[in-house]
Each structure stands twice: as structure tokens, then as C-alpha cells.
Amino acid sequence: MLGEFEHLVLLAVLRLGEDAYGATIRREIETRAGRELSISATYVTLERLEAKGYVTSWIGEPTTQRGGRRRKHVALRPAGRTALAHAVRTFRVMAEGLEDQLETS
């Protein structure tokens, strides 16, 4: 079972594709979900998701833009895609027909 923040991280990884790494994942969540978070929370969650087999990571080549530092890239694994698809379907089913009740004035 995935927590809310894990769902957000997986959604960000899926949305970002090849551009998924800690800083871009953090920015994506902050921008789209309006949640402020630390980079360490992002990395701890990515490590947990990798331990569960939902994402994979690798260290890229050093770049001159980063002063010769390497970036840790992240990609969704099939199990992560399956878990995320299940969560989205479940949420849609549970929310179906509640739109009027959820609207605020």
C-alpha cells in the first residue's frame, strides 16, 4: 500500500520521464500540488520506493552545467506503474458521483 506522498512522487516521476531526478521531482510536486517539501523528504521517499521495486535509479554522467557533479536519475518500474494505475483507478471509483458534494463555494 502506498501513502499519499508516495503517490505524488510516483506521479511526478511518470510525468517527468527522462527528466526525473530529485530536484525536478520536488519542483513538480511543489508546483502542481502546492506542497512545500524538503529535498531530503523527496530522496527518502525515492529510496523507499526503490526498495519496494517501484522505481529504479542510476547515477548519470558529470555535466559542466553542474560543475562536474553527477545527477541521480529515477525511472518508474513496471511494478510502480501498476501500483500507480491501481491507486488512480481506486480513487476515481471512490470519487465517482461525489463532485457536487465536494464543490466549495
Side-chain angles (χ1 to χ4, degrees):
M1 181 122 192
L2 295 172
E4 177 192 2
F5 189 61
E6 290 175 320
H7 287 134
L8 293 177
V9 170
L10 288 176
L11 287 166
V13 170
L14 179 62
R15 183 178 296 279
L16 291 165
E18 293 181 8
D19 292 325
Y21 57 92
T24 59
I25 293 166
R26 177 184 174 205
R27 277 194 301 270
E28 186 72 16
I29 293 169
E30 287 182 338
T31 300
R32 290 188 172 271
R35 284 181 64 167
E36 257 186 65
L37 54 126
S38 68
I39 193 67
S40 62
T42 305
Y43 280 112
V44 166
T45 302
L46 286 169
E47 287 174 11
R48 192 169 52 247
L49 291 169
E50 190 162 18
K52 291 179 179 182
Y54 293 153
V55 298
T56 188
S57 67
W58 67 96
I59 305 297
E61 294 300 317
T63 64
T64 55
Q65 299 93 330
R66 294 180 40 83
R69 293 180 307 176
R70 297 170 183 259
R71 180 176 287 151
K72 187 175 185 178
H73 298 271
V74 182
L76 202 57
R77 297 189 72 202
R81 186 177 299 273
T82 299
L84 189 54
H86 175 72
V88 168
R89 276 192 309 275
T90 301
F91 186 83
R92 284 184 181 151
V93 168
M94 290 299 296
E96 186 178 349
L98 298 176
E99 293 83 3
D100 292 341
Q101 295 177 43
L102 294 172
E103 286 186 20
T104 59
S105 40

